[in-house]
Amino acid sequence: MTARRKATGIALAGLAPLALTLLTASPAVAHGSMSDPVSRVLACYAEGPESPKSAACKAAVQAGGAQEFYDWNGVRDGNAGGKSKEKIPDGKLCSAGDAAFKGLDLPRADWPATKMQAGNHTFRYRATAPHRGSFELYLTKAGYDPAKPLKWSDLESKPFAKVTDPKLVNGSYVFDGKVPARSGRHLIYSIWQRSDSPEAFYTCSDVVFGKDSGKAGTTAAAPAASVPTEGQLAAGADKSSMDMSAHGHQGGATAGHGATLRSAQAGKPAPAGAATPRTPTARPSRSPVAPVRRAAGGWRRPVGTAPPPRSPSAARPCWPWVRPSCSPPAAAGPPAPRLNHPTAAAPSPSFTSGAAPRRTPGPRGP
């Protein structure tokens, strides 16, 4: 192994742990939200993140900004690990404890709501990045007061619907559940816990049973929630801080992803001491090049290919005293005698051609 190959191997071995660290540290974002019944974040997005119509959505924008609605599919806890009740504090269930979505935690009795009735219901969960996992749906207890911060104790201790790896239909998970009987305004809380990761996603869907609205058991008017259209979702995708370009998931199959967050803090000053993020630059694509090796003669050719043929004019000279195995090409006619290099096989010209013998000079006279 050459010194260059050794140096390359050492460099690659040193980069491997760094690459693994970067892959495992990539945040998982933008995965989905409940669309039937409509979640709070989707209902406000349908009204328009910049200028919503309902009083509750307007108050949420004032509390947390419009960005939380553009990021409607990112209410999550990346390290839930099935311990959502331990990790998310009371009063912050709808935001999953994330300050970026704090507007969703406002205790109000006028959130846009969906009509609901007891019995069987088909639920739909819009998934922008499907994953294997389980869904659990909880309903608030009788006597729930929406004007107070939502606590875990306001929900039934056991989910009324639980399903693992439901079918994915037109970009949404679809599954059935039997809704308990209630009256007035209530809330359905969903937990989508991935089985291939500790990550979990959360939604709050305001629902109304019967004709009662507002506070549970009262008849105050309540705005109806609506689902955003495909056109609305596509129009706001560029303003989302969630990067979905690297998600290539199929169905409910387990798949990893390297999605990264685009800066959700664009336009905001960076905290003191924070490193300035570098914008990746596109590199020109390179065509694959066959590996090249050096032959004994000094020329280079791609591995696996035959050496180029030599033309007759480029043939190397043949010298028997340098290359014994080489024989010179036969010349036309008899070869000329080589008096300076006689050989045993060549007879003396005086005995073969009839020429006069060579005269040997005698001694000189006095």
Side-chain angles (χ1 to χ4, degrees):
M1 182 180 292
T2 64
R4 179 180 296 179
R5 291 184 178 179
K6 290 182 179 180
T8 303
I10 295 174
L12 293 177
L15 289 176
L18 177 59
L20 181 60
T21 301
L22 292 176
L23 289 175
T24 55
S26 298
V29 294
H31 294 263
S33 188
M34 185 74 73
S35 58
D36 186 3
V38 191
S39 63
R40 284 182 182 177
V41 67
L42 265 184
C44 291
Y45 179 88
E47 294 184 10
E50 304 293 342
S51 56
K53 300 178 180 179
S54 64
C57 292
K58 290 180 180 179
V61 171
Q62 293 177 356
Q67 190 61 45
E68 60 184 334
F69 298 136
Y70 287 116
D71 298 339
W72 57 270
N73 47 10
V75 184
R76 54 176 285 276
D77 183 345
N79 296 309
K83 299 180 180 180
S84 299
K85 293 183 179 180
E86 300 175 11
K87 296 182 67 64
I88 300 177
D90 286 338
K92 297 183 179 181
L93 274 66
C94 295
S95 68
D98 189 344
F101 298 94
K102 61 183 179 181
L104 302 176
D105 289 323
L106 295 179
R108 300 180 64 96
D110 57 350
W111 283 102
T114 302
K115 289 289 186 179
M116 184 64 61
Q117 59 184 5
N120 295 328
H121 185 86
T122 299
F123 296 89
R124 288 177 170 82
Y125 197 102
R126 179 62 181 262
T128 53
H131 293 288
R132 291 192 180 276
S134 61
F135 290 84
E136 294 182 353
L137 304 185
Y138 296 83
L139 182 62
T140 50
K141 299 176 181 177
Y144 160 68
D145 186 356
K148 296 180 179 180
L150 180 65
K151 300 182 296 183
W152 287 106
S153 59
D154 293 328
L155 304 176
E156 295 287 353
S157 59
K158 294 183 179 180
F160 68 87
K162 184 175 182 179
V163 61
T164 301
D165 297 335
K167 60 182 179 180
L168 187 68
V169 181
N170 297 326
S172 297
Y173 284 115
V174 180
F175 54 93
D176 296 328
K178 188 173 183 180
V179 183
R182 291 290 189 274
S183 63
R185 176 175 285 264
H186 282 270
L187 184 142
I188 293 179
Y189 190 72
S190 74
I191 301 176
W192 176 18
Q193 177 63 61
R194 292 175 57 179
S195 58
D196 58 349
S197 166
E199 189 176 36
F201 306 89
Y202 309 88
T203 65
C204 284
S205 299
D206 297 276
V207 295
V208 173
F209 290 83
K211 297 182 179 181
D212 294 340
S213 302
K215 184 177 179 179
T218 68
T219 58
S226 60
V227 183
T229 64
E230 295 295 328
Q232 287 178 309
L233 295 176
D238 290 340
K239 295 184 179 180
S240 173
S241 66
M242 307 297 172
D243 185 3
M244 286 301 299
S245 61
H247 287 76
H249 308 291
Q250 300 291 336
T254 302
H257 53 81
T260 56
L261 277 170
R262 288 184 300 208
S263 176
Q265 305 296 331
K268 297 183 180 180
T276 303
R278 295 191 303 174
T279 303
T281 57
R283 295 184 177 180
S285 59
R286 297 182 179 179
S287 59
V289 179
V292 178
R293 68 183 179 187
R294 182 175 297 276
W299 50 271
R300 298 170 66 86
R301 63 180 174 86
V303 176
T305 61
R310 291 179 178 270
S311 62
S313 60
R316 297 166 63 181
C318 180
W319 295 310
W321 53 87
V322 176
R323 298 169 60 191
S325 61
C326 178
S327 298
R338 299 174 62 183
L339 301 179
N340 55 338
H341 291 286
T343 59
S348 172
S350 61
F351 294 99
T352 58
S353 60
R358 189 172 184 178
R359 182 178 296 177
T360 303
R364 293 183 179 183

